[in-house]
Amino acid sequence: MKRSIVLTLLVCMISMLAACSSEGAELSSDSESSILVVYFSCTGTTEQIARWIIGETGADSYEIVPEDPYTEEDLAYYTGGRADQEQSDSSARPAISGSVENIEQYDVIFLGYPIWHGQAPRIISTFLESYDLADVTIIPFCTSHSSGIGSSAENLHTLCSGSVTWKDGRRFSGSASENDVNEWVDSLSLRESEENKGNIVREFNFETKTVQLNSGYEMPIMGLGTYSLTDEECAVSIAALLEAGGRLIDTAYMYGNEAAVGQAVRDSDVPREEIFVITKLYPNQYSYAADAIDEALEKMGLDYIDMILLHHPGDGDVEAYLALEQAVAEGKVHSIGLSNWYVKELEEFLPQVNITPALVQNEIHPYYQENDVIPYIQSLGIVVQGWYPLGGRGHTAELLGDETISAIAEAHGVSSAQVILRWNLQKGVVVIPGSSNPDHIRENLDLFGFELTDEEMEQINALDRNEKHDWY
């Protein structure tokens, strides 16, 4: 038993050291949500529960990061180390790096933590005593192998003012599922939860250039598609993307360049957690999806993959998606989704799976706009991403030379490509144009110095020909 606890704490120490390498935790978004999820996580179990709550409620999030990182010796139970001393001293208050700004905007705070010696880590007490939480509703949740939330929540409640509304908490084990969490959140009957629950349209944040997925993770809204890029081209292109500030990379098993993508990510000076990598399983992998996920991880040489999609519908796609869900539970994959699924396919597919896709990636460009499909997907709380945003190979020149688009580009002093990509973003569509030209890659990221008017958006909308440029 003691050995198991020590091993758990060793993993905790590694996670916390990584988390504490930054200058301090910040809010995950600057939205106007009235719900905040605050959590302190060691092995990632509490963080996963927190992210599922975020996805279900549309809440902001704040990770509690210790100012003085815990060492291996600190976290070894029953040795008289720092963790032992803090947990045995009710007055201990470990310092926190960073703070929550505008905490007064929040009406509800979910408060998550692992159980240490049957109680919440003392750093949770530090958080509660650092803010005026008058009239706030606090909902605790904990993660543990066996200990209930019990007295840990009761003791935390005593640290709050009498005007705090303290709801009964919930303990989750490491085997908890997203459905378990969603059912609990629904049972709380929170007004904002019911309004935002799962089916909120995921608004783009043009300041951070990201969107918060229903999985709780943030994803950049523009990046690089690597379809048809050879290994060497791929590596050079990714280096150019990262140097220019881009952080989203899209690849797939069928592109044959997953290894090059992983190598480029590992060779970069950009911290891994800032880069968002998407890959896809092809239908010929669906029958052995769990092994295919492990193969992708090994090929890329990454500890986790930010998102895996199913490339397009095929035999065994539901079973393959369930394997993706299991990979999420195991921490191998953060978010999952679909590619080349449309309204009919989604209506048939979604009732058969447990985790709502975070993303659906389809062909979208001014000549093939999917104006009936995009709102449907977005209404489900799913982000839409467009491949072939510039028309696809063999069609790009015609699209970039379109008189309407060229005139709008001239009016703004930008390129036709920038106009098309900006049109996508203003429609709520993430863009991943492919290129091996560093100048074009930089240009394709420079989309925030201008804005298309409503009239210009309508002019481009009028170009729709329902003209698909690939068979998916």
Side-chain angles (χ1 to χ4, degrees):
M1 178 68 178
K2 291 183 179 180
R3 180 182 179 188
S4 174
I5 293 173
V6 171
L7 289 175
T8 298
L9 286 173
L10 288 178
V11 176
C12 171
M13 180 275 297
I14 293 170
S15 300
M16 292 181 67
L17 285 176
C20 295
S21 62
S22 62
E23 293 183 359
E26 299 293 339
L27 281 174
S28 66
S29 71
D30 50 10
S31 72
E32 296 182 355
S33 173
S34 65
I35 301 178
L36 176 66
V37 178
V38 176
Y39 67 93
F40 171 66
S41 187
C42 288
T43 63
T45 303
T46 306
E47 179 181 14
Q48 181 60 77
I49 302 299
R51 291 194 181 281
W52 282 333
I53 296 171
I54 294 162
E56 180 72 354
T57 62
D60 292 340
S61 71
Y62 175 78
E63 180 180 7
I64 296 175
V65 176
E67 189 173 279
D68 181 14
Y70 289 86
T71 66
E72 179 179 343
E73 292 76 15
D74 291 337
L75 294 171
Y77 271 14
Y78 307 113
T79 63
R82 175 181 166 192
D84 287 343
Q85 294 176 28
E86 288 178 354
Q87 292 307 101
S88 63
D89 180 2
S90 61
S91 66
R93 296 294 183 269
I96 296 173
S97 176
S99 61
V100 181
E101 296 183 1
N102 302 320
I103 198 167
E104 63 277 0
Q105 84 176 57
Y106 299 105
D107 300 322
V108 176
I109 295 178
F110 284 87
L111 182 63
Y113 52 88
I115 291 291
W116 285 6
H117 283 306
Q119 294 295 320
R122 299 301 179 191
I123 200 166
I124 302 299
S125 300
T126 307
F127 172 82
L128 289 174
E129 294 178 344
S130 296
Y131 302 94
D132 179 5
L133 301 176
D135 302 320
V136 171
T137 296
I138 296 180
I139 308 171
F141 64 95
C142 74
T143 55
S144 73
H145 294 294
S146 57
S147 300
I149 196 166
S151 63
S152 72
E154 295 172 6
N155 291 336
L156 292 176
H157 187 188
T158 64
L159 302 177
C160 301
S161 69
S163 62
V164 163
T165 298
W166 190 275
K167 287 188 172 278
D168 291 338
R170 171 74 180 266
R171 170 234 170 212
F172 293 96
S173 68
S175 62
S177 69
E178 182 180 17
N179 280 343
D180 294 333
V181 174
N182 291 348
E183 288 177 3
W184 173 60
V185 172
D186 290 348
S187 73
L188 298 170
S189 300
L190 298 174
R191 178 183 56 80
E192 179 143 334
S193 172
E194 291 304 313
E195 291 176 357
N196 289 336
K197 175 185 164 204
N199 297 346
I200 62 171
V201 175
R202 303 283 156 176
E203 300 289 345
F204 287 4
N205 186 326
F206 278 18
E207 293 185 6
T208 62
K209 303 172 185 176
T210 61
V211 59
Q212 184 173 284
L213 303 170
N214 62 22
S215 59
Y217 289 91
E218 287 191 341
M219 183 181 74
I221 57 178
M222 73 287 187
L224 177 71
T226 64
Y227 170 67
S228 80
L229 294 181
T230 64
D231 285 351
E232 184 175 353
E233 284 180 321
C234 188
V236 172
S237 299
I238 290 173
L241 175 85
L242 297 175
E243 184 178 355
R247 295 294 184 265
L248 173 63
I249 304 166
D250 179 82
T251 183
Y253 165 78
M254 281 301 289
Y255 299 174
N257 56 21
E258 285 179 314
V261 169
Q263 186 68 52
V265 170
R266 298 196 310 273
D267 288 347
S268 170
D269 292 332
V270 178
R272 169 66 185 96
E273 62 271 15
E274 293 183 13
I275 303 174
F276 199 102
V277 178
I278 301 174
T279 192
K280 311 175 194 74
L281 299 187
Y282 205 69
N284 62 7
Q285 297 178 292
Y286 292 172
S287 62
Y288 62 97
D291 290 337
I293 295 165
D294 290 338
E295 290 172 10
L297 282 163
E298 182 176 358
K299 195 180 298 181
M300 291 188 180
L302 302 177
D303 293 332
Y304 64 89
I305 296 173
D306 297 275
M307 178 179 288
I308 296 185
L309 312 177
L310 299 187
H311 203 122
H312 60 269
D315 290 341
D317 50 16
V318 171
E319 291 75 13
Y321 192 88
L322 296 177
L324 293 181
E325 293 183 350
Q326 181 59 35
V328 170
E330 295 171 356
K332 297 177 180 179
V333 180
H334 285 174
S335 305
I336 57 180
L338 304 168
S339 184
N340 304 300
W341 254 262
Y342 302 89
V343 175
K344 179 181 178 182
E345 291 85 353
L346 287 168
E347 287 177 342
E348 294 176 355
F349 187 85
L350 294 181
Q352 302 180 72
V353 300
N354 304 304
I355 298 179
T356 301
L359 180 107
V360 171
Q361 182 191 104
N362 289 338
E363 178 180 347
I364 299 171
H365 50 75
Y367 292 164
Y368 187 73
Q369 298 189 15
E370 291 200 358
N371 288 321
D372 57 337
V373 180
I374 292 172
Y376 171 77
I377 295 174
Q378 292 173 334
S379 73
L380 300 175
I382 301 171
V383 171
V384 177
Q385 187 176 71
W387 53 265
Y388 276 0
L390 303 180
R393 298 190 181 237
H395 301 275
T396 301
E398 178 188 8
L399 186 57
L400 296 182
D402 186 283
E403 292 183 359
T404 298
I405 294 172
S406 297
I408 294 173
E410 184 176 357
H412 288 279
V414 298
S415 70
S416 292
Q418 288 172 304
V419 167
I420 294 169
L421 298 176
R422 177 74 194 199
W423 168 78
N424 274 276
L425 294 184
Q426 289 184 211
K427 288 168 70 76
V429 176
V430 176
V431 291
I432 45 170
S435 179
S436 60
N437 184 317
D439 290 335
H440 291 168
I441 291 170
R442 284 190 289 271
E443 179 183 284
N444 291 343
L445 296 172
D446 186 13
L447 307 176
F448 300 92
F450 69 104
E451 182 177 356
L452 301 180
T453 66
D454 291 342
E455 181 181 0
E456 289 167 338
M457 290 291 292
E458 287 302 319
Q459 289 174 352
I460 300 175
N461 289 343
L463 299 177
D464 191 13
R465 304 174 180 174
N466 198 31
E467 182 179 290
K468 213 170 187 309
H469 292 162
D470 216 323
W471 67 272
Y472 295 119

